[in-house]
Amino acid sequence: MNKKQQQTEQTKKKIADAARVLFAQKGYKATAIEDIVKAAGCSAGNIYYHFKNKEGLFLYLLEDWNKEWDQSWLARENQYPTTVEKLYGMAEFLALDQLSHPLTKAADEFFNNAEKAPEVEERINDMVKGYIDFNQQLLQRGIDNNEFDVKNVSGLAIILDSLLLGLNQHSRRMEREEALAAYRLAVDVFLHGIVKPTR
């Protein structure tokens, strides 16, 4: 990476870091481009150059959050020897992440905002597809390990994502232990229909 590319990346990181703090403090709607300009000490042109608009900047932060989550999960996934245990571990990890992540409230605002440009909808759809692919791979491992008796893996991956997405919304009003219990119960209910009976 040459010096100009380095400076470009530093500017992009500076904007993203400043925006993350503002979105966490003020929420998505209340944070204006001018606020980010002031906090990052850069021009509005820099923001538009790197992220196109406020939506693009927030999507960048969400994608970054997804990468962080993936890395954290990969670091702990080996603690769970079976796919069943991985599902419980993943659900618990999701619950704690959603309860504690500073962008959770702003993300709710962002996703509930009805007006989104087509390219933003496309990036959101790509993120959702990534979640479903992740679920599908996890469930496929359970089939390969002879833990699950499943015919429609892609359908179950969507159901699992929908279940976790719904829990994500409801658990916001719960205390930590209540939320964890709800996520565990959800996995209990989900697995009841697909765990291969032991003989």
Side-chain angles (χ1 to χ4, degrees), residues 140-178:
Q140 187 61 52
R141 255 182 277 157
I143 294 166
D144 296 345
N145 295 339
N146 211 28
E147 292 176 71
F148 300 154
D149 189 12
V150 175
K151 304 285 180 272
N152 185 351
V153 182
S154 58
L156 282 171
I158 292 168
I159 290 167
L160 179 59
D161 186 64
S162 304
L163 180 66
L164 296 172
L165 181 66
L167 273 172
N168 173 13
Q169 295 299 311
H170 292 290
S171 64
R172 304 290 165 74
R173 295 178 288 282
M174 296 178 186
E175 294 298 320
R176 185 177 186 273
E177 286 310 311
E178 186 186 3

CSV table of all heavy atoms in Angstrom, one decimal, residues 140-178:
chain,number,residue,atom,x,y,z
A,140,GLN,N,-25.8,-28.1,7.9
A,140,GLN,CA,-25.3,-29.1,7.0
A,140,GLN,C,-24.2,-29.9,7.8
A,140,GLN,O,-24.2,-31.2,7.6
A,140,GLN,CB,-24.7,-28.5,5.7
A,140,GLN,CG,-24.2,-29.6,4.7
A,140,GLN,CD,-25.4,-30.5,4.2
A,140,GLN,OE1,-26.4,-30.0,3.8
A,140,GLN,NE2,-25.2,-31.8,4.3
A,141,ARG,N,-23.5,-29.3,8.6
A,141,ARG,CA,-22.5,-30.0,9.4
A,141,ARG,C,-23.2,-31.0,10.4
A,141,ARG,O,-22.7,-32.1,10.6
A,141,ARG,CB,-21.6,-29.0,10.3
A,141,ARG,CG,-20.2,-28.9,9.7
A,141,ARG,CD,-19.4,-27.9,10.5
A,141,ARG,NE,-19.7,-26.6,10.1
A,141,ARG,CZ,-19.4,-25.5,10.9
A,141,ARG,NH1,-18.9,-25.7,12.1
A,141,ARG,NH2,-19.7,-24.3,10.5
A,142,GLY,N,-24.3,-30.5,10.9
A,142,GLY,CA,-25.1,-31.4,11.8
A,142,GLY,C,-25.6,-32.7,11.0
A,142,GLY,O,-25.6,-33.8,11.6
A,143,ILE,N,-26.0,-32.5,9.8
A,143,ILE,CA,-26.4,-33.6,8.9
A,143,ILE,C,-25.2,-34.5,8.6
A,143,ILE,O,-25.3,-35.7,8.8
A,143,ILE,CB,-27.0,-33.1,7.6
A,143,ILE,CG1,-28.3,-32.4,7.9
A,143,ILE,CG2,-27.3,-34.3,6.6
A,143,ILE,CD1,-28.8,-31.5,6.7
A,144,ASP,N,-24.1,-33.9,8.3
A,144,ASP,CA,-22.9,-34.7,7.9
A,144,ASP,C,-22.4,-35.5,9.1
A,144,ASP,O,-21.8,-36.5,9.0
A,144,ASP,CB,-21.8,-33.7,7.4
A,144,ASP,CG,-22.1,-33.1,6.1
A,144,ASP,OD1,-23.1,-33.5,5.4
A,144,ASP,OD2,-21.5,-32.1,5.7
A,145,ASN,N,-22.6,-34.9,10.3
A,145,ASN,CA,-22.1,-35.6,11.6
A,145,ASN,C,-23.2,-36.6,12.1
A,145,ASN,O,-23.1,-37.1,13.2
A,145,ASN,CB,-21.8,-34.6,12.7
A,145,ASN,CG,-20.7,-33.7,12.3
A,145,ASN,OD1,-19.8,-34.0,11.5
A,145,ASN,ND2,-20.6,-32.5,13.0
A,146,ASN,N,-24.3,-36.7,11.3
A,146,ASN,CA,-25.3,-37.7,11.7
A,146,ASN,C,-26.1,-37.2,12.9
A,146,ASN,O,-26.6,-38.1,13.7
A,146,ASN,CB,-24.8,-39.1,11.8
A,146,ASN,CG,-25.8,-40.1,11.5
A,146,ASN,OD1,-26.7,-39.9,10.6
A,146,ASN,ND2,-25.7,-41.3,12.1
A,147,GLU,N,-26.1,-35.9,13.2
A,147,GLU,CA,-26.9,-35.4,14.4
A,147,GLU,C,-28.3,-35.0,14.0
A,147,GLU,O,-29.2,-35.1,14.8
A,147,GLU,CB,-26.2,-34.1,14.9
A,147,GLU,CG,-24.9,-34.3,15.5
A,147,GLU,CD,-24.3,-33.0,15.9
A,147,GLU,OE1,-24.8,-32.4,16.9
A,147,GLU,OE2,-23.3,-32.6,15.3
A,148,PHE,N,-28.5,-34.6,12.7
A,148,PHE,CA,-29.8,-34.1,12.3
A,148,PHE,C,-30.4,-35.0,11.2
A,148,PHE,O,-29.6,-35.5,10.4
A,148,PHE,CB,-29.7,-32.7,11.7
A,148,PHE,CG,-29.2,-31.7,12.7
A,148,PHE,CD1,-28.6,-30.5,12.3
A,148,PHE,CD2,-29.4,-31.8,14.1
A,148,PHE,CE1,-28.1,-29.5,13.1
A,148,PHE,CE2,-28.9,-30.9,15.0
A,148,PHE,CZ,-28.3,-29.7,14.5
A,149,ASP,N,-31.7,-35.1,11.2
A,149,ASP,CA,-32.4,-35.8,10.1
A,149,ASP,C,-33.2,-34.7,9.4
A,149,ASP,O,-34.3,-34.4,9.8
A,149,ASP,CB,-33.3,-36.9,10.7
A,149,ASP,CG,-33.9,-37.8,9.7
A,149,ASP,OD1,-33.4,-37.7,8.5
A,149,ASP,OD2,-34.8,-38.5,10.0
A,150,VAL,N,-32.6,-34.1,8.3
A,150,VAL,CA,-33.2,-33.0,7.7
A,150,VAL,C,-33.3,-33.2,6.2
A,150,VAL,O,-32.4,-33.7,5.6
A,150,VAL,CB,-32.4,-31.7,8.0
A,150,VAL,CG1,-32.9,-30.5,7.2
A,150,VAL,CG2,-32.3,-31.4,9.4
A,151,LYS,N,-34.4,-32.8,5.6
A,151,LYS,CA,-34.6,-32.8,4.2
A,151,LYS,C,-34.3,-31.5,3.5
A,151,LYS,O,-33.7,-31.4,2.5
A,151,LYS,CB,-36.0,-33.3,3.8
A,151,LYS,CG,-36.4,-34.7,4.4
A,151,LYS,CD,-35.7,-35.8,3.7
A,151,LYS,CE,-36.0,-37.2,4.3
A,151,LYS,NZ,-35.2,-37.6,5.4
A,152,ASN,N,-34.9,-30.4,4.1
A,152,ASN,CA,-34.8,-29.1,3.5
A,152,ASN,C,-33.9,-28.1,4.3
A,152,ASN,O,-34.4,-27.4,5.1
A,152,ASN,CB,-36.3,-28.5,3.4
A,152,ASN,CG,-36.3,-27.2,2.7
A,152,ASN,OD1,-35.3,-26.6,2.4
A,152,ASN,ND2,-37.5,-26.7,2.4
A,153,VAL,N,-32.6,-28.2,4.1
A,153,VAL,CA,-31.7,-27.4,4.8
A,153,VAL,C,-31.8,-25.9,4.6
A,153,VAL,O,-31.8,-25.1,5.5
A,153,VAL,CB,-30.2,-27.8,4.5
A,153,VAL,CG1,-29.2,-27.1,5.3
A,153,VAL,CG2,-30.0,-29.3,4.7
A,154,SER,N,-32.1,-25.6,3.3
A,154,SER,CA,-32.2,-24.1,3.0
A,154,SER,C,-33.4,-23.5,3.7
A,154,SER,O,-33.4,-22.4,4.2
A,154,SER,CB,-32.2,-23.9,1.5
A,154,SER,OG,-33.2,-24.6,0.9
A,155,GLY,N,-34.5,-24.3,3.7
A,155,GLY,CA,-35.7,-23.8,4.4
A,155,GLY,C,-35.5,-23.6,5.9
A,155,GLY,O,-35.9,-22.6,6.5
A,156,LEU,N,-34.8,-24.6,6.5
A,156,LEU,CA,-34.6,-24.5,7.9
A,156,LEU,C,-33.6,-23.4,8.3
A,156,LEU,O,-33.7,-22.8,9.3
A,156,LEU,CB,-34.0,-25.8,8.5
A,156,LEU,CG,-35.1,-26.9,8.7
A,156,LEU,CD1,-34.4,-28.3,9.0
A,156,LEU,CD2,-36.1,-26.6,9.8
A,157,ALA,N,-32.7,-23.1,7.4
A,157,ALA,CA,-31.7,-22.0,7.6
A,157,ALA,C,-32.5,-20.7,7.6
A,157,ALA,O,-32.2,-19.8,8.4
A,157,ALA,CB,-30.7,-22.0,6.5
A,158,ILE,N,-33.5,-20.5,6.8
A,158,ILE,CA,-34.3,-19.3,6.8
A,158,ILE,C,-35.2,-19.2,8.0
A,158,ILE,O,-35.3,-18.2,8.7
A,158,ILE,CB,-35.2,-19.3,5.5
A,158,ILE,CG1,-34.4,-19.1,4.3
A,158,ILE,CG2,-36.3,-18.2,5.6
A,158,ILE,CD1,-35.1,-19.3,2.9
A,159,ILE,N,-35.7,-20.4,8.5
A,159,ILE,CA,-36.5,-20.4,9.7
A,159,ILE,C,-35.7,-20.0,10.9
A,159,ILE,O,-36.1,-19.2,11.7
A,159,ILE,CB,-37.2,-21.8,9.9
A,159,ILE,CG1,-38.3,-22.0,8.8
A,159,ILE,CG2,-37.8,-22.0,11.3
A,159,ILE,CD1,-38.8,-23.4,8.7
A,160,LEU,N,-34.5,-20.6,10.9
A,160,LEU,CA,-33.6,-20.3,12.1
A,160,LEU,C,-33.2,-18.8,12.1
A,160,LEU,O,-33.3,-18.1,13.1
A,160,LEU,CB,-32.3,-21.1,12.0
A,160,LEU,CG,-31.2,-20.9,13.0
A,160,LEU,CD1,-31.8,-21.2,14.4
A,160,LEU,CD2,-30.0,-21.8,12.8
A,161,ASP,N,-33.0,-18.2,10.9
A,161,ASP,CA,-32.7,-16.8,10.8
A,161,ASP,C,-33.9,-16.0,11.3
A,161,ASP,O,-33.7,-15.0,12.0
A,161,ASP,CB,-32.3,-16.4,9.4
A,161,ASP,CG,-31.8,-14.9,9.3
A,161,ASP,OD1,-30.8,-14.6,10.0
A,161,ASP,OD2,-32.5,-14.1,8.7
A,162,SER,N,-35.1,-16.3,10.8
A,162,SER,CA,-36.3,-15.6,11.2
A,162,SER,C,-36.5,-15.7,12.7
A,162,SER,O,-36.9,-14.7,13.4
A,162,SER,CB,-37.5,-16.2,10.5
A,162,SER,OG,-37.3,-16.2,9.1
A,163,LEU,N,-36.3,-16.9,13.3
A,163,LEU,CA,-36.5,-17.1,14.7
A,163,LEU,C,-35.5,-16.2,15.5
A,163,LEU,O,-35.9,-15.5,16.4
A,163,LEU,CB,-36.2,-18.5,15.0
A,163,LEU,CG,-36.3,-19.0,16.5
A,163,LEU,CD1,-37.7,-18.9,17.0
A,163,LEU,CD2,-35.8,-20.4,16.6
A,164,LEU,N,-34.2,-16.1,15.1
A,164,LEU,CA,-33.2,-15.3,15.8
A,164,LEU,C,-33.5,-13.8,15.6
A,164,LEU,O,-33.3,-13.0,16.5
A,164,LEU,CB,-31.8,-15.7,15.3
A,164,LEU,CG,-31.4,-17.1,15.7
A,164,LEU,CD1,-30.1,-17.5,15.0
A,164,LEU,CD2,-31.3,-17.3,17.2
A,165,LEU,N,-34.0,-13.5,14.4
A,165,LEU,CA,-34.3,-12.0,14.1
A,165,LEU,C,-35.4,-11.6,15.0
A,165,LEU,O,-35.4,-10.5,15.6
A,165,LEU,CB,-34.7,-11.9,12.6
A,165,LEU,CG,-35.0,-10.5,12.2
A,165,LEU,CD1,-33.7,-9.6,12.3
A,165,LEU,CD2,-35.5,-10.5,10.8
A,166,GLY,N,-36.5,-12.4,15.1
A,166,GLY,CA,-37.6,-12.1,16.0
A,166,GLY,C,-37.2,-11.9,17.4
A,166,GLY,O,-37.6,-11.0,18.2
A,167,LEU,N,-36.4,-12.9,17.9
A,167,LEU,CA,-35.9,-12.8,19.3
A,167,LEU,C,-35.0,-11.6,19.5
A,167,LEU,O,-35.1,-11.0,20.6
A,167,LEU,CB,-35.0,-14.1,19.5
A,167,LEU,CG,-35.7,-15.3,20.0
A,167,LEU,CD1,-34.7,-16.5,20.1
A,167,LEU,CD2,-36.3,-15.1,21.4
A,168,ASN,N,-34.3,-11.2,18.5
A,168,ASN,CA,-33.5,-10.0,18.6
A,168,ASN,C,-34.3,-8.8,18.9
A,168,ASN,O,-34.0,-8.0,19.8
A,168,ASN,CB,-32.8,-9.8,17.2
A,168,ASN,CG,-32.0,-8.5,17.1
A,168,ASN,OD1,-31.8,-7.8,18.1
A,168,ASN,ND2,-31.6,-8.2,15.9
A,169,GLN,N,-35.5,-8.7,18.3
A,169,GLN,CA,-36.4,-7.6,18.6
A,169,GLN,C,-37.0,-7.7,20.0
A,169,GLN,O,-37.0,-6.7,20.7
A,169,GLN,CB,-37.6,-7.6,17.5
A,169,GLN,CG,-37.1,-7.3,16.1
A,169,GLN,CD,-36.5,-6.0,16.0
A,169,GLN,OE1,-37.0,-5.0,16.4
A,169,GLN,NE2,-35.3,-5.9,15.4
A,170,HIS,N,-37.5,-8.9,20.3
A,170,HIS,CA,-38.2,-9.0,21.6
A,170,HIS,C,-37.2,-8.9,22.8
A,170,HIS,O,-37.6,-8.5,23.9
A,170,HIS,CB,-38.9,-10.3,21.7
A,170,HIS,CG,-40.1,-10.4,20.7
A,170,HIS,ND1,-41.2,-9.6,20.9
A,170,HIS,CD2,-40.3,-11.0,19.6
A,170,HIS,CE1,-42.1,-9.8,19.9
A,170,HIS,NE2,-41.5,-10.7,19.1
A,171,SER,N,-36.0,-9.4,22.6
A,171,SER,CA,-35.1,-9.5,23.8
A,171,SER,C,-34.6,-8.1,24.2
A,171,SER,O,-34.0,-8.0,25.3
A,171,SER,CB,-33.9,-10.4,23.5
A,171,SER,OG,-33.1,-9.9,22.4
A,172,ARG,N,-34.8,-7.1,23.4
A,172,ARG,CA,-34.3,-5.7,23.8
A,172,ARG,C,-34.9,-5.2,25.1
A,172,ARG,O,-34.4,-4.4,25.8
A,172,ARG,CB,-34.7,-4.7,22.7
A,172,ARG,CG,-34.1,-5.0,21.3
A,172,ARG,CD,-32.6,-4.9,21.3
A,172,ARG,NE,-32.1,-5.5,20.1
A,172,ARG,CZ,-32.2,-5.1,18.9
A,172,ARG,NH1,-32.8,-3.9,18.7
A,172,ARG,NH2,-31.7,-5.7,17.9
A,173,ARG,N,-36.1,-5.7,25.4
A,173,ARG,CA,-36.8,-5.2,26.6
A,173,ARG,C,-36.6,-6.2,27.8
A,173,ARG,O,-37.2,-6.0,28.8
A,173,ARG,CB,-38.3,-5.1,26.3
A,173,ARG,CG,-38.6,-4.0,25.2
A,173,ARG,CD,-40.1,-3.9,24.9
A,173,ARG,NE,-40.6,-5.0,24.1
A,173,ARG,CZ,-40.4,-5.2,22.8
A,173,ARG,NH1,-39.7,-4.3,22.1
A,173,ARG,NH2,-40.9,-6.2,22.1
A,174,MET,N,-35.8,-7.2,27.6
A,174,MET,CA,-35.5,-8.2,28.6
A,174,MET,C,-34.2,-7.9,29.4
A,174,MET,O,-33.3,-7.3,28.8
A,174,MET,CB,-35.4,-9.6,28.0
A,174,MET,CG,-36.7,-10.1,27.3
A,174,MET,SD,-36.4,-11.7,26.6
A,174,MET,CE,-37.9,-12.0,25.7
A,175,GLU,N,-34.2,-8.4,30.6
A,175,GLU,CA,-32.9,-8.5,31.3
A,175,GLU,C,-32.0,-9.5,30.7
A,175,GLU,O,-32.5,-10.4,30.0
A,175,GLU,CB,-33.2,-8.8,32.8
A,175,GLU,CG,-34.0,-7.7,33.5
A,175,GLU,CD,-33.3,-6.4,33.6
A,175,GLU,OE1,-32.0,-6.4,33.8
A,175,GLU,OE2,-33.9,-5.3,33.4
A,176,ARG,N,-30.8,-9.5,31.0
A,176,ARG,CA,-29.8,-10.4,30.4
A,176,ARG,C,-30.2,-11.8,30.5
A,176,ARG,O,-30.2,-12.6,29.5
A,176,ARG,CB,-28.4,-10.1,31.0
A,176,ARG,CG,-27.3,-10.9,30.4
A,176,ARG,CD,-26.0,-10.5,31.1
A,176,ARG,NE,-24.8,-11.1,30.5
A,176,ARG,CZ,-24.4,-12.3,30.8
A,176,ARG,NH1,-24.9,-13.0,31.7
A,176,ARG,NH2,-23.3,-12.8,30.2
A,177,GLU,N,-30.5,-12.3,31.7
A,177,GLU,CA,-30.8,-13.7,32.0
A,177,GLU,C,-32.0,-14.1,31.3
A,177,GLU,O,-32.2,-15.3,30.8
A,177,GLU,CB,-30.8,-14.0,33.5
A,177,GLU,CG,-29.5,-14.1,34.1
A,177,GLU,CD,-28.5,-15.0,33.4
A,177,GLU,OE1,-28.8,-16.1,33.1
A,177,GLU,OE2,-27.3,-14.5,33.2
A,178,GLU,N,-33.0,-13.2,31.3
A,178,GLU,CA,-34.3,-13.5,30.6
A,178,GLU,C,-34.1,-13.7,29.1
A,178,GLU,O,-34.6,-14.6,28.4
A,178,GLU,CB,-35.3,-12.4,30.9
A,178,GLU,CG,-36.7,-12.7,30.4
A,178,GLU,CD,-37.6,-11.5,30.5
A,178,GLU,OE1,-37.2,-10.4,31.0
A,178,GLU,OE2,-38.8,-11.7,30.2
